[in-house]
DNA sequence: TAATTTATTGCAAAAATTTGCAATAAGGAA
DNA sequence: TTCCTTATTGCAAATTTTTGCAATAAATTA
C-alpha cells in the first residue's frame, strides 16, 4: 500500500480522483520531504508513472497546493519554483547574496496563527515563511 | 528628483549602476507598493523607459530581490511570480480554494526575527509570510 | 571634458510553464 | 461486473521566462 493512499480519502471526499500520476507525485514529495523543482519531480515520478508528462506535473503541483497538500516556495537564487509536501511548517532563512540557507524554527508564529484563525474566520492555516538576510560570510565580503 | 535616487547610493556603494531601466522599475514598484507581475511592471515601466525589454525586467527584478530592495512572492492561484518593493513587511493570508486574500499584520514575528538575527549571525532580515487557509465562504461550500 | 573600464542592456534563440481540446480512465450506479 | 459520468491526462501549440553574447552606457580617472 502506497503512502499516497494516505491522501486518497481526503481527495475523494472532495470529489477529486486519485490517479496513478498523482500517486507518483505525492509519493515523491512525501518521501523527499524537501523542496523539489518541477523538473526533479518529473524525473523521479516518471519512474513510477512512465507516461507522465510535464503539463500533468505542473497541473498536479498547482492542484496539490490549492488543496493544501503541498506548498510552493520561490527560493531566491534558484530559477524554478519549488514544491514541498505539507507536513510540519518549514521556514527558511536565505542569504540574498550567496543563496546559502538555513532551516529555522519559528514557534513564535504558532500562537499568532491560532489567534488569526479565530479573528479571521479562516481555517486550516499553513504557514510558509521566507526570511531574507545577509549571512555572516557575505557581511564581511560586503565590508 | 526621482524616487529612484533614494536607492542609487546604496547600489553605487556596492559597485552597481543606476540605469534608466532600473529607475523606471523602482519607480513603478515604489509608487504601487503592491505586488505586481512582471507583465504589469513591464507595461508601466515602459512609459518611462521606452526601450525597455522583458529580459531586462526579469533580470532587474531578480537583481532587486538579491539586493534586498524587492521581494518576490508566489501568489497561489496566480500564474506569475509577483514582486513588491521592500518596505514594511507585508504578510498575506490567502484562501487556497477561491484565492481571495487578506493582508494581515504579524507583529508577533518581529521579536522572533530580532532574536534570530542574534543567534544566526544573519543581518538585515526581511520577512515574507504566506499563510494558506480556507476562507469562511469556502468552508461552507466545502461542507 | 574626453577616455577608459566594465556593469548592464537588447536581441535572438532556448528553455520552462501554461492552455485548449479531444481522448482516457477513476469512481459511483446499475 | 459492466456502464456511465466527468475529472484528469496527453498532445500540440501558445505564452512566459531564461540565457549567450555583442553593443551600449554609467561611473571613475585623467
Amino acid at each position: 500500500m502506497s503512502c499516497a493512499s494516505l491522501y486518497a480519502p481526503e481527495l475523494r471526499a472532495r470529489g477529486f480522483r486519485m490517479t496513478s500520476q498523482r500517486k507518483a507525485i505525492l509519493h515523491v514529495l512525501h518521501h523527499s520531504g524537501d523542496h523539489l523543482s518541477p523538473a526533479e519531480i518529473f524525473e523521479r515520478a516518471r519512474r513510477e508513472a512512465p507516461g507522465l508528462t510535464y503539463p500533468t506535473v505542473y497541473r498536479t503541483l498547482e492542484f496539490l497546493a490549492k488543496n493544501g497538500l503541498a506548498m510552493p516556495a520561490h527560493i531566491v537564487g534558484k530559477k524554478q519554483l519549488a514544491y514541498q509536501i505539507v507536513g510540519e511548517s518549514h521556514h527558511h532563512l536565505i542569504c540574498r547574496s550567496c543563496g546559502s540557507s538555513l532551516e529555522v524554527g519559528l514557534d513564535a508564529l504558532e500562537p499568532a496563527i491560532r489567534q488569526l484563525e479565530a479573528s479571521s474566520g479562516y481555517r486550516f492555516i499553513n504557514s510558509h515563511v521566507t526570511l531574507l538576510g545577509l549571512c555572516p560570510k557575505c557581511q564581511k565580503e560586503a565590508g
Side-chain angles (χ1 to χ4, degrees), chain A:
Chain A
M1 177 178 263
S2 156
C3 67
S5 54
L6 290 172
Y7 303 103
E10 187 174 347
L11 292 189
R12 293 210 186 92
R14 302 192 210 174
F16 301 120
R17 295 171 186 178
M18 178 56 81
T19 64
S20 60
Q21 293 88 343
R22 287 182 181 166
K23 268 186 204 150
I25 291 171
L26 278 166
H27 181 84
V28 166
L29 288 173
H30 184 92
H31 283 90
S32 158
D34 203 3
H35 285 111
L36 295 176
S37 70
E40 289 168 324
I41 293 166
F42 173 75
E43 284 308 332
R44 298 187 194 187
R46 194 161 55 146
R47 293 176 206 152
E48 293 169 60
L52 188 66
T53 62
Y54 263 104
T56 297
V57 170
Y58 284 104
R59 279 189 282 225
T60 299
L61 291 173
E62 193 186 327
F63 169 84
L64 295 176
K66 269 206 100 175
N67 286 282
L69 301 183
M71 267 286 195
H74 174 66
I75 301 185
V76 179
K78 304 223 173 177
K79 298 107 231 264
Q80 296 182 307
L81 204 59
Y83 286 81
Q84 181 180 43
I85 199 82
V86 168
E88 319 93 69
S89 297
H90 284 235
H91 301 155
H92 297 268
L93 173 54
I94 298 164
C95 176
R96 58 178 163 247
S97 178
C98 69
S100 69
S101 76
L102 218 61
E103 192 108 340
V104 299
L106 277 180
D107 300 336
L109 205 52
E110 281 307 313
I113 289 179
R114 298 302 144 237
Q115 195 181 325
L116 198 60
E117 282 187 329
S119 66
S120 69
Y122 277 59
R123 297 194 55 204
F124 312 117
I125 296 179
N126 296 121
S127 66
H128 192 279
V129 178
T130 304
L131 301 173
L132 280 175
L134 266 187
C135 73
K137 194 175 151 209
C138 290
Q139 284 171 45
K140 275 187 215 152
E141 287 171 5

